[in-house]
Amino acid sequence: MDAWNILLVGVGGQGVLVASELIALGFLKAGYDVKKSEVHGMAQRGGTVSSHVRCGRKVFSPLIPAGEADLLIAFESLEALRWLGFLRKQGRLLVGRQEIMPTTVTSGRMHYPEDICASLERRSAPTEVIDALGLARKAGDVRSINSVLVGAASRSFPLPVEIWREVIEERLPRKVVDVNLKAFEMGRERVPGKREKAKGKR
């Protein structure tokens, strides 16, 4: 496969942007052309955060059109549902099993949908729902949820695992490297077996 469209979404404070940077740096280190774009206007207030990462031999635009994402990494259940339309028909969905109530729900104006993850798991396309927060807690720091999901996502890419470890060691502060490496490995082990190579469109 020559190129990948990877969309990461979540809520402010979950580490979405750091995860997108780790993925972009991993592909750059492997010799690919990479373009990245992000939106985080209300991130500090618990609003939606999204980042587009496009990797290939040559990439011209940083934005992924709706219906063309090869991989959607959702840090939060409702965000997975909100952005599902960006996935191509057989695109892979990776979801962190976490529910963060938006202000419209906490204010009583709306209700949080029930059984989102169960509905997502019934998709005919490749779908993985993992307890990323729980794994991050076991690794030693709940803030390492982004490394858990990068580890799980790494199974989709033909990059040597050593590259991912190098990126974590180089990008993250020294004091949190060990816990994030552990979180990465736990996420990677959570999605075992043959790598899924999604077909991209450019």
Side-chain angles (χ1 to χ4, degrees):
M1 177 169 171
D2 295 330
W4 289 262
N5 282 333
I6 307 157
L7 178 60
L8 299 91
V9 300
V11 174
Q14 287 189 295
V16 174
L17 303 184
V18 172
S20 71
E21 187 173 349
L22 292 175
I23 291 174
L25 291 173
F27 274 92
L28 280 172
K29 190 175 282 286
Y32 290 86
D33 184 25
V34 178
K35 297 290 187 296
K36 185 167 74 75
S37 178
E38 57 196 41
V39 176
H40 50 97
M42 297 290 287
Q44 294 184 350
R45 299 186 183 182
T48 296
V49 180
S50 65
S51 182
H52 298 232
V53 182
R54 307 189 77 202
C55 318
R57 293 180 179 177
K58 186 63 180 177
V59 180
F60 297 98
S61 170
L63 297 179
I64 302 171
E68 293 193 17
D70 301 307
L71 173 62
L72 171 59
I73 305 173
F75 283 54
E76 196 272 343
S77 303
L78 183 58
E79 294 303 318
L81 195 62
R82 192 194 308 272
W83 292 86
L84 197 58
F86 270 78
L87 266 181
R88 64 182 182 81
K89 188 174 182 180
Q90 287 300 312
R92 180 185 171 202
L93 173 62
L94 176 60
V95 186
R97 190 187 296 275
Q98 184 177 5
E99 297 181 352
I100 299 176
M101 302 298 153
T103 55
T104 52
V105 172
T106 57
S107 66
R109 287 178 290 163
M110 297 181 69
H111 295 285
Y112 196 95
E114 297 181 1
D115 301 322
I116 294 178
C117 288
S119 298
L120 293 172
E121 287 180 306
R122 289 194 288 268
R123 294 177 69 242
S124 58
T127 301
E128 292 283 350
V129 178
I130 68 174
D131 182 10
L133 179 60
L135 291 175
R137 185 175 288 114
K138 288 181 181 179
D141 189 339
V142 295
R143 293 171 297 180
S144 65
I145 182 176
N146 45 18
S147 292
V148 170
L149 289 170
V150 170
S154 70
R155 289 286 187 179
S156 295
F157 313 129
L159 275 63
V161 67
E162 291 76 18
I163 282 184
W164 299 111
R165 292 171 182 151
E166 289 174 10
V167 166
I168 290 172
E169 291 173 352
E170 294 171 6
R171 167 61 180 81
L172 300 181
R174 184 182 299 274
K175 63 182 180 180
V176 299
V177 164
D178 287 345
V179 69
N180 277 275
L181 285 173
K182 184 176 181 180
F184 170 85
E185 296 295 347
M186 293 176 75
R188 187 172 172 86
E189 290 170 5
R190 179 59 182 77
V191 185
K194 185 178 180 181
R195 292 178 183 140
E196 294 172 332
K197 295 185 179 181
K199 182 180 178 183
K201 295 181 180 180
R202 300 295 175 275

